[in-house]
Amino acid sequence: MQEAWLLAGTVAFVALVVSVWAVVLARRAVRGRRALLDGIRGLGEGDLSRRLGEQEAGPMAAGIFNQAARDLDERIERALASLSGLRSLAGSLSGMVMLDLNGEAEVREVLGDLEGLTGHRPAAVIGRHVAFFLASESDWSAALEQLRTEDGKEARLPAALRHQGGELQEGEIQVRRVEDGGYRVVLASVQGSAAAAERAATAEARLAAFTAALPDGVALLAGGRVASANPRLARLLGAPADDLAGRRFTALVHAADLVAALALLDGAAGPGAARLRLLGQGGEVVPAEVTAGRCTLEGIEVQILLVREAGPQPARERRLALSGAWLGAVLEARPEGLAVLARAGDGGGWTPALANAAFLRLLGLPAGRLPRRADLEAALPARFADPGMVGAFLQGFQREPGATGHGRFETRDEPPRLLELACRPVQAAGESVGILLQVRDATEEAREREGLESRAAEMQAAAEAARAAAAEAASQRAEAARRVQELERAHADLRERDEMKTNLLGNFSHELQTPLVSIRGYTEMMLRGDLGEITPDQKQGLEVSLRNIQRLTSLIEQLMAFARTEEELTELTLETFPVWPVLEETISLLGDRVKEKGLRVTTRYSTDRLAVLADRNLMAQVFSNILGNAVKYSRQGGEVAVTVRSGGPDELVVEVRDDGVGIPRDEQERIFERGYRASTAGGTRGSGIGLALVREILKRHGCQIRVDSHPGQGSTFSFTLPLAPLDDDAEAAGGAPPAAAGPA
């Protein structure tokens, strides 16, 4: 026994050690992934000194990352100040200002001495329409018209320039459309235009002569934009030299080499060189060796690029490609989707520069190739339920460089899934050059969170309900005790009243039945001839009297049973009989009352099947109550119409219509309640139990009754009766009904 306990303890200890070691390894893996992702983000944000230790991400991942970071550091260590040349150029343009406009003619950038020309500070006019600087909007409209009607490249015309104080000065406006849909505008005073034109002509002639003599492609950049390109570069890219002017150099570079291009242009340590993939006019890739340097022409500092078609890849480029492959392998190992959306140099938006397989899979893009910008834009409507919201989310990072954020969006899958998009800026030398986009499937996490929130809400609701129940428990107990006492008193009172009602009905029944027994006995004796012979007419009258005595006796018994409970109603005595004799007999019994009111009673039989299977005495009671009410409430000299017709397959329908006082619609259901009388009954005498008894009798036969009435227009009572089976001979036994019955 002791050995068994020792073995069990050993197994438990080993299991505990294995569990602890598994937790430690899992936490190390999570820390390694976080450290690697933070390192990649740091490189994108410009932290080139970031290195990972083997304890942070593991020996292999740390080695790959650190080698990639060192190679990248070598390429962009000279990237410090790319706009200094353009600003120096603008500062030397006396009496002239260059404005960079978007497609809506709103100012994006100002170069030159704007305060000296117009009195406005550059920061105060960003976003203003260009007409803000002119005497009227018609000057800008005239420039656009000239741009459309002439060669479509450049427009130049005189214009009055508006100073900050409101005064106008003679000047000139030059407009050129650029590739991104915007405009390049030069504002110049009359004096500045003339001087600038003379200097520009001289510089242009010298520059053209200099660059034309070089065997390599040459481009002069100001502020990162092509100011001039020689014919050799134009032929290399397959585009006219005039089309290259004004474009950002980065717009001519493949997205995968944007970081290297920016590092080359921003180099502050001196001349540099890089192998870049340039884009020809048709989109074809042109490998080139690009050397960049700075110089001063006519007092203006510009960048000069020497472009030569690339030969075999140098060793340094191979190392960079290898580092890129290592970094790509790390990215492919990530479970979440990662992509770098690089800013196009011409301001035309973002385009994918890097994407791992998980990114392509999560967005439904073809595997194995880097998607183009058009592919990504087309994937949004096909993948997301609200592509406009996703597009706005991504565009927001273009408008706000340096911003970070994340959002969750539903897909079009069935059932929908939830993808989380997280964005961080990719920066180089303080400038945003793209977006690091992370895509993660957050469906299960959202479901778990929703379940937790739902359970928390249920628990909170249950707790509140428990508190409310506890708060009411004491008062409910007291209230329950009080109500128990009240119910006991009410029960005793009801029991006493029920006993009184039973005694009263018993006495009433005894008092009625005693004389009826005597009347019935003498009637039967006369019918038998015990008291002497009687004539046929006397016999018929005595037979009718005997049936009514029996009906009255049955009514008393049914009334007593109805007053007790529904369950105590006497059992039905079903028989097959034709309905028309009972109906005609009832009308005959009401003859005196009909004559008193001068009524006209008609009957109409619309079917040959008139035999029913029912309790004959109770049916006579139904006819008596319904027809009696029709006669009672009809107007003097009115009409009561009785119609018998077929209903459903096994039903006969009887309709009794009068032209009496009518019944309000909101009371038509209540008149079948015991003791209720309609408000239109007035002073007419009645007990209020006749219709209640009718409905109960019909209900016992499985039949229904309804009323259709309008105050002042009479009422129509319709009820169903059960038809007898066809094989019964009730029709022949009862004879045929009258063809038509006129006034009674």
Side-chain angles (χ1 to χ4, degrees):
M1 187 69 179
Q2 212 171 14
E3 292 177 356
W5 281 106
L6 181 59
L7 179 60
T10 304
V11 171
F13 177 76
V14 171
L16 178 61
V17 171
V18 171
S19 300
V20 172
W21 182 244
V23 171
V24 171
L25 291 179
R27 290 183 176 177
R28 285 183 180 178
V30 171
R31 286 198 300 268
R33 288 195 295 270
R34 290 178 179 173
L36 185 59
L37 186 58
D38 289 343
I40 295 173
R41 289 174 177 169
L43 290 179
E45 294 173 355
D47 184 9
L48 303 180
S49 61
R50 183 74 167 97
R51 298 292 185 273
L52 296 180
E54 294 184 357
Q55 298 299 324
E56 292 182 274
M60 181 177 179
I64 294 174
F65 177 84
N66 292 338
Q67 181 61 41
R70 284 192 294 271
D71 291 341
L72 186 61
D73 192 13
E74 292 178 5
R75 295 300 308 273
I76 61 175
E77 61 183 0
R78 298 183 302 275
L80 297 174
S82 62
L83 295 178
S84 59
L86 184 59
R87 282 177 167 65
S88 299
L89 172 63
S92 64
L93 299 177
S94 175
M96 301 178 66
V97 173
M98 180 183 294
L99 304 178
D100 180 33
L101 311 181
N102 61 17
E104 303 296 328
E106 296 169 342
V107 178
R108 293 187 295 198
E109 190 174 0
V110 178
L111 300 173
D113 187 10
L114 182 65
E115 275 194 88
L117 184 63
T118 66
H120 296 286
R121 291 183 295 105
V125 300
I126 299 299
R128 292 271 193 177
H129 194 275
V130 68
F132 175 73
F133 302 99
L134 306 176
S136 66
E137 291 188 7
S138 60
D139 292 339
W140 175 246
S141 300
L144 292 181
E145 182 64 25
Q146 185 181 121
L147 195 63
R148 283 194 296 268
T149 57
E150 295 188 1
D151 60 3
K153 294 183 178 179
E154 183 176 281
R156 182 192 299 249
L157 69 163
L161 306 182
R162 184 182 299 278
H163 198 272
Q164 183 182 22
E167 61 273 14
L168 302 177
Q169 58 177 322
E170 292 186 29
E172 183 182 72
I173 179 172
Q174 302 175 31
V175 183
R176 175 186 289 270
R177 185 180 292 277
V178 294
E179 189 179 48
D180 64 357
Y183 303 93
R184 198 80 66 242
V185 175
V186 175
L187 303 178
S189 63
V190 174
Q191 297 83 357
S193 296
E198 183 179 354
R199 289 196 302 272
T202 303
E204 186 175 357
R206 293 178 180 177
L207 181 61
F210 173 72
T211 57
L214 295 176
D216 298 329
V218 178
L220 270 65
L221 306 185
R225 297 182 181 274
V226 178
S228 175
N230 71 344
R232 172 59 180 162
L233 180 59
R235 289 193 301 271
L236 184 63
L237 299 181
D242 290 344
D243 289 351
L244 298 177
R247 298 181 61 183
R248 285 190 176 276
F249 177 70
T250 50
L252 305 175
V253 179
H254 191 276
D257 292 341
L258 283 177
V259 174
L262 288 171
L264 180 66
L265 296 180
D266 293 347
R275 172 185 285 264
L276 302 178
R277 284 167 286 183
L278 304 183
L279 298 177
Q281 189 175 27
E284 66 277 6
V285 177
V286 180
E289 294 282 352
V290 181
T291 303
R294 298 178 182 274
C295 69
T296 301
L297 298 176
E298 298 292 333
I300 302 173
E301 185 176 354
V302 297
Q303 286 179 302
I304 299 178
L305 301 183
L306 297 180
V307 183
R308 178 180 302 171
E309 282 193 89
Q313 190 178 36
R316 185 177 181 184
E317 295 297 329
R318 288 196 299 272
R319 289 197 304 272
L320 184 60
L322 182 59
S323 299
W326 292 342
L327 185 58
V330 174
L331 293 179
E332 291 299 329
R334 302 297 304 159
E336 67 271 15
L338 292 173
V340 174
L341 308 181
R343 278 189 183 277
D346 58 355
W350 38 262
T351 184
L354 182 67
N356 66 352
F359 180 85
L360 302 178
R361 174 177 51 80
L362 289 173
L363 291 188
L365 293 167
R369 68 178 182 85
L370 183 67
R372 298 172 299 175
R373 175 182 173 187
D375 298 333
L376 191 57
E377 290 176 345
L380 296 184
R383 184 59 174 151
F384 291 98
D386 191 347
M389 183 178 294
V390 180
F393 173 78
L394 296 176
Q395 290 291 341
F397 294 93
Q398 291 189 8
R399 294 190 297 269
E400 299 180 18
T404 62
H406 64 89
R408 291 185 173 184
F409 307 94
E410 282 192 353
T411 67
R412 293 184 181 273
D413 297 318
E414 289 296 339
R417 302 196 68 79
L418 196 64
L419 295 186
E420 182 180 74
L421 274 60
C423 293
R424 296 177 63 88
V426 178
Q427 296 183 338
E431 180 181 359
S432 178
V433 296
I435 302 170
L436 176 63
L437 177 59
Q438 178 182 355
V439 183
R440 184 172 65 90
D441 191 335
T443 306
E444 297 304 325
E445 178 184 324
R447 289 175 182 170
E448 292 178 1
R449 177 174 295 180
E450 183 178 352
L452 290 174
E453 292 176 352
S454 176
R455 287 193 291 273
E458 291 174 358
M459 293 177 63
Q460 183 177 1
E464 292 177 355
R467 286 193 295 269
E472 294 180 2
S475 60
Q476 287 181 351
R477 285 193 295 271
E479 180 68 15
R482 184 182 65 79
R483 290 186 179 182
V484 167
Q485 294 176 356
E486 291 180 354
L487 289 174
E488 289 175 349
R489 289 194 296 267
H491 179 68
D493 185 52
L494 288 174
R495 186 168 56 243
E496 182 180 354
R497 293 186 181 186
D498 187 61
E499 291 176 358
M500 292 175 61
K501 180 196 71 173
T502 302
N503 295 333
L504 178 61
L505 289 175
N507 295 333
F508 179 72
S509 172
H510 177 73
E511 293 297 328
L512 287 177
Q513 286 179 342
T514 299
L516 282 175
V517 170
S518 177
I519 295 171
R520 179 177 179 177
Y522 278 104
T523 303
E524 290 175 345
M525 290 172 63
M526 286 188 288
L527 283 172
R528 290 195 303 266
D530 295 345
L531 301 180
E533 294 183 3
I534 57 175
T535 65
D537 291 339
Q538 290 173 337
K539 182 179 180 180
Q540 183 179 1
L542 288 173
E543 288 175 347
V544 172
S545 297
L546 182 59
R547 283 196 296 271
N548 279 285
I549 290 170
Q550 293 172 344
R551 186 182 306 160
L552 182 58
T553 303
S554 176
L555 174 62
I556 292 172
E557 293 174 354
Q558 294 296 329
L559 180 61
M560 293 177 62
F562 185 79
R564 290 194 296 270
T565 60
E566 292 183 359
E567 288 75 16
E568 292 180 71
L569 278 172
T570 56
E571 294 184 1
L572 301 178
T573 303
L574 300 179
E575 58 179 303
T576 299
F577 62 92
V579 74
W580 69 268
V582 181
L583 178 58
E584 296 295 336
E585 183 179 305
T586 303
I587 295 174
S588 177
L589 291 173
L590 295 171
D592 293 339
R593 293 166 60 186
V594 170
K595 291 178 181 179
E596 289 176 4
K597 300 191 72 171
L599 300 177
R600 181 173 181 268
V601 180
T602 62
T603 57
R604 184 166 62 91
Y605 301 94
S606 301
T607 178
D608 295 333
R609 291 192 64 188
L610 296 174
V612 297
L613 180 63
D615 189 311
R616 184 184 184 113
N617 290 333
L618 292 181
M619 287 299 105
Q621 185 65 50
V622 169
F623 285 131
S624 178
N625 287 0
I626 295 296
L627 288 170
N629 282 347
V631 171
K632 181 192 300 185
Y633 294 108
S634 289
R635 293 185 174 88
Q636 191 73 23
E639 179 183 3
V640 176
V642 181
T643 303
V644 181
R645 58 179 176 83
S646 62
D650 301 316
E651 290 182 343
L652 196 66
V653 177
V654 180
E655 294 180 349
V656 179
R657 178 178 56 82
D658 64 61
D659 56 359
V661 295
I663 305 167
R665 183 172 296 276
D666 58 348
E667 299 180 20
Q668 291 178 11
E669 184 63 28
R670 298 193 62 192
I671 61 173
F672 297 103
E673 297 175 2
R674 182 170 52 181
Y676 185 83
R677 302 191 68 208
S679 60
T680 53
T684 306
R685 299 179 62 184
S687 62
I689 65 173
L691 290 177
L693 185 58
V694 166
R695 183 166 70 171
E696 185 61 28
I697 292 173
L698 293 174
K699 182 178 178 182
R700 290 290 179 177
H701 284 78
C703 301
Q704 297 178 341
I705 185 171
R706 59 181 296 273
V707 62
D708 183 15
S709 179
H710 299 280
Q713 300 180 18
S715 304
T716 299
F717 284 84
S718 304
F719 56 92
T720 60
L721 297 177
L723 281 171
L726 288 173
D727 55 358
D728 288 352
D729 295 331
E731 312 293 346

